[in-house]
Protein backbone atom coordinates (compact mmCIF):
# COMPACT_ATOMS: atom_id res chain seq x y z
CA UNK A 1 0.00 0.00 0.00
CA UNK A 2 2.35 2.68 -1.16
CA UNK A 3 5.10 3.80 1.12
CA UNK A 4 5.40 3.64 4.91
CA UNK A 5 3.82 7.10 5.34
CA UNK A 6 0.35 5.61 4.92
CA UNK A 7 0.97 3.01 7.62
CA UNK A 8 2.42 5.63 9.97
CA UNK A 9 -0.59 7.91 9.46
CA UNK A 10 -3.06 5.10 10.07
CA UNK A 11 -1.18 4.09 13.20
CA UNK A 12 -1.10 7.66 14.52
CA UNK A 13 -4.86 7.99 13.93
CA UNK A 14 -5.61 4.55 15.45
CA UNK A 15 -7.11 3.35 12.18
CA UNK A 16 -6.94 -0.38 11.62
CA UNK A 17 -6.25 -1.95 8.25
CA UNK A 18 -8.88 -4.63 7.76
CA UNK A 19 -6.93 -6.29 4.94
CA UNK A 20 -4.72 -5.50 2.02
CA UNK A 21 -5.77 -6.47 -1.47
CA UNK A 22 -2.75 -7.66 -3.45
CA UNK A 23 -2.07 -5.90 -6.73
CA UNK A 24 -3.28 -7.82 -9.75
CA UNK A 25 -3.10 -6.07 -13.11
CA UNK A 26 -6.03 -7.98 -14.63
CA UNK A 27 -8.22 -7.27 -11.59
CA UNK A 28 -7.21 -3.58 -11.55
CA UNK A 29 -8.08 -3.27 -15.24
CA UNK A 30 -11.53 -4.78 -14.75
CA UNK A 31 -12.18 -2.60 -11.72
CA UNK A 32 -11.01 0.57 -13.48
CA UNK A 33 -13.22 -0.07 -16.51
CA UNK A 34 -16.26 -0.75 -14.31
CA UNK A 35 -16.62 -4.40 -15.33
CA UNK A 36 -18.37 -6.79 -13.00
CA UNK A 37 -15.78 -8.76 -11.11
CA UNK A 38 -16.90 -12.33 -11.63
CA UNK A 39 -13.49 -13.86 -12.28
CA UNK A 40 -11.56 -12.82 -9.19
CA UNK A 41 -8.38 -14.70 -8.38
CA UNK A 42 -8.25 -16.71 -5.16
CA UNK A 43 -5.85 -14.37 -3.34
CA UNK A 44 -8.08 -11.33 -3.95
CA UNK A 45 -11.18 -13.32 -3.00
CA UNK A 46 -9.56 -14.28 0.30
CA UNK A 47 -8.69 -10.64 0.97
CA UNK A 48 -12.31 -9.61 0.53
CA UNK A 49 -13.47 -12.46 2.77
CA UNK A 50 -11.02 -11.26 5.42
CA UNK A 51 -12.48 -7.74 5.22
CA UNK A 52 -16.04 -9.02 5.62
CA UNK A 53 -15.02 -11.24 8.53
CA UNK A 54 -13.26 -8.31 10.26
CA UNK A 55 -16.32 -6.10 9.86
CA UNK A 56 -18.60 -8.84 11.14
CA UNK A 57 -16.38 -9.46 14.18
CA UNK A 58 -16.24 -5.75 15.01
CA UNK A 59 -19.99 -5.45 14.65
CA UNK A 60 -20.50 -8.38 17.01
CA UNK A 61 -18.10 -6.79 19.47
CA UNK A 62 -20.34 -3.72 19.71
CA UNK A 63 -23.77 -5.22 19.08
CA UNK A 64 -23.50 -8.63 20.72
CA UNK A 65 -26.02 -11.12 19.46
CA UNK A 66 -28.39 -8.43 18.18
CA UNK A 67 -27.21 -8.52 14.60
CA UNK A 68 -28.29 -9.92 11.26
CA UNK A 69 -26.31 -12.59 9.42
CA UNK A 70 -24.89 -11.47 6.06
Amino acid sequence: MGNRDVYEFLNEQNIDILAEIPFNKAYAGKYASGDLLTDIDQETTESYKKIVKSIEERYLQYEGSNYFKW
Side-chain angles (χ1 to χ4, degrees), residues 1-8:
M1 185 190 312
N3 60 26
R4 296 294 316 162
D5 292 343
V6 172
Y7 294 100
E8 290 172 14

Side-chain angles (χ1 to χ4, degrees), residues 18-19 22 45 49 54 57:
L18 299 178
T45 299
K49 286 181 181 179
S54 294
E57 288 171 355

Side-chain angles (χ1 to χ4, degrees), residues 54-64 66-68:
S54 294
I55 293 170
E56 193 172 45
E57 288 171 355
R58 288 163 191 260
Y59 187 79
L60 280 174
Q61 177 182 353
Y62 295 108
E63 296 296 325
N66 296 324
Y67 82 105
F68 62 93

